[in-house]
Amino acid sequence: MTKVSNDKVNKINARNVALEIITSIFEDKAYTNIAIDKYFKNHNDISKIDRAFITRIVEGTVEHVITIDYIINKFSKTKTNKMKKIILYILRLSVYQIKYMDKVPVSAVCNEAVKLAKKRKFNSLSGFVNGVLRNIARNIDSIQYPDEKDEPVRYLSIVYSFPMWIVELWLEHYDYETVKNMCINSNKTAKTNIRCNLTKTNPEELKKQLQDSNVNVEEGKLLNYALKISNYNSIRGLEAFNQGKFTVQDESSMLVAQLANPKEDSLVIDVCAAPGGKTTHFAEKMNNTGRVVSRDIYPKKLQLIDENVKRLQLNNVDIKEYNALEIDSSMIEKADIVIADVPCSGLGIIRKKPDIKYNVERKDIDDLIDIQRNILKVVCKYVKTGGILMYSTCTVNPEENIKNVKWFTDNFPFELVDFEDNLPNTINNNNKGYIQLLPGFYDTDGFFLA
């Protein structure tokens, strides 16, 4: 038998892989990050370069799909809503490359798109695919978009690929330039934010270890124990991760434990804990003393918390399946701190999960507000007199944030307390007891905390 080189064995068609992943996202409504991770876990022989290329075109296509469909409809007699699904997905992936990836030759994009159409048994439509893409490529720099002055909402929707209802919602609460910057920042690629586990190492040692593994490392913008990393194949492939020296968490989310500033030997209850970033941060801040009761309603998510707790070598965390809407009488007035990071619309983390903007509808928000308030009604009972309730969301919608806080303080024996002493100096905040971070303004997710 003839020995075949590894290069030949491992050679894949990256665009075909991207098409498979995109199909699962658009047809099965799979979350982008989960669909990508699932494919890579099942195909661990894909090279670092191919992984990066596949990830970029999949995430980018989802992120810009409204803009992409607008462009396709400009140049195709058959509109996107009438196309065969696979043909539409091929066109979307290809238009993303043409518009947003300068270093990819147009000829390669068109030729590979034709091959994909034929591979999927659409030989008769391969000429259509080729014609539409080459026409788009010739005119990509002269496409007319809605006028910003005459149609500001439609302009933001089409140019930055946001459903119009989100643009309209944001404009109800923020000025136009702020909303425009929120749209721009939400489309920027975010580096991976990590939190140094100070019970095992320090930021300088962690940074050196990661750099020795050829990982690009930058210091965080807000907290001295936060780092931003890039140029790695997978988190689980990093020795420092497996040694429990860091966990993935956005700096905005790190602020919950930073501002709560728990004392050693405290009792902390995290009522909606998955995937465990806040749970483990509190456990670390308490230096493995006291007790963090970590709860969630989903068993699979609790397994993820358990994995993180064991990997970080924390022994002060109790994990339990529990519905935050049901009262636990054994915990009434026992907790020094209760963390209520409640289910929300997620409009602050679109840069990391672009599919959120297509999967959430405005009517869903009223239901979420009911859930958020009902959770607060129950879990506030666990806070002992003088204790702290940390309320947080990863959204920028005031109805879910400050309006919930006002409702809560009007109806329950709690008051907002100042946290300026623990707030990073880089954050300009004039609000006593709460903070609203907007997407990208501090190179963080959009996040609310009170």
Side-chain angles (χ1 to χ4, degrees), residues 36 45 77 93 138 153 167 176 199 242 270 277 313 368 388 408-409 427 430 438:
I36 293 171
D45 58 339
K77 290 182 180 178
L93 284 168
R138 283 192 298 271
V153 174
V167 177
Y176 181 83
T199 68
N242 294 311
D270 190 351
Q313 297 178 30
L368 284 167
I388 297 291
F408 182 70
T409 54
I427 294 180
N430 297 317
L438 300 180

Side-chain angles (χ1 to χ4, degrees), residues 174-331:
Y174 304 101
D175 64 73
Y176 181 83
E177 285 303 316
T178 298
V179 172
K180 184 176 180 179
N181 281 319
M182 288 164 66
C183 292
I184 292 170
N185 291 334
S186 294
N187 283 342
K188 289 181 178 177
T189 302
K191 290 183 172 69
T192 303
N193 288 250
I194 63 171
R195 185 189 76 236
C196 178
N197 180 0
L198 298 177
T199 68
K200 295 184 67 65
T201 187
N202 61 62
E204 292 76 22
E205 290 178 357
L206 176 59
K207 184 177 181 179
K208 184 179 185 306
Q209 182 175 357
L210 290 168
Q211 288 174 331
D212 288 345
S213 299
N214 297 317
V215 177
N216 292 337
V217 186
E218 301 172 27
E219 294 182 359
K221 301 288 186 182
L222 305 180
L223 301 166
N224 59 13
Y225 49 82
L227 299 171
K228 298 179 186 293
I229 62 172
S230 57
N231 189 44
Y232 60 91
N233 203 6
S234 71
I235 285 287
R236 286 180 169 79
L238 297 174
E239 184 181 32
F241 177 81
N242 294 311
Q243 291 173 336
K245 293 182 178 179
F246 74 85
T247 197
V248 176
Q249 188 181 28
D250 194 77
E251 279 192 274
S252 59
S253 182
M254 296 180 205
L255 289 175
V256 176
Q258 173 69 21
L259 301 184
N261 195 27
K263 296 181 175 66
E264 291 192 1
D265 295 316
S266 294
L267 172 61
V268 176
I269 306 176
D270 190 351
V271 298
C272 303
K278 298 175 188 66
T279 283
T280 55
H281 195 187
F282 273 82
E284 290 167 18
K285 277 208 166 271
M286 289 155 56
N287 199 27
N288 251 329
T289 67
R291 182 180 172 208
V292 181
V293 180
S294 184
R295 295 177 168 180
D296 207 276
I297 195 172
Y298 300 109
K300 284 187 177 180
K301 291 185 176 181
L302 290 171
Q303 290 175 12
L304 183 58
I305 299 173
D306 187 51
E307 288 173 13
N308 284 322
V309 167
K310 288 176 179 174
R311 182 180 55 80
L312 296 165
Q313 297 178 30
L314 300 169
N315 52 31
N316 59 343
V317 178
D318 293 338
I319 301 168
K320 186 176 182 180
E321 181 181 342
Y322 206 92
N323 187 342
L325 292 168
E326 296 176 3
I327 189 70
D328 178 359
S329 57
S330 70
M331 287 293 178

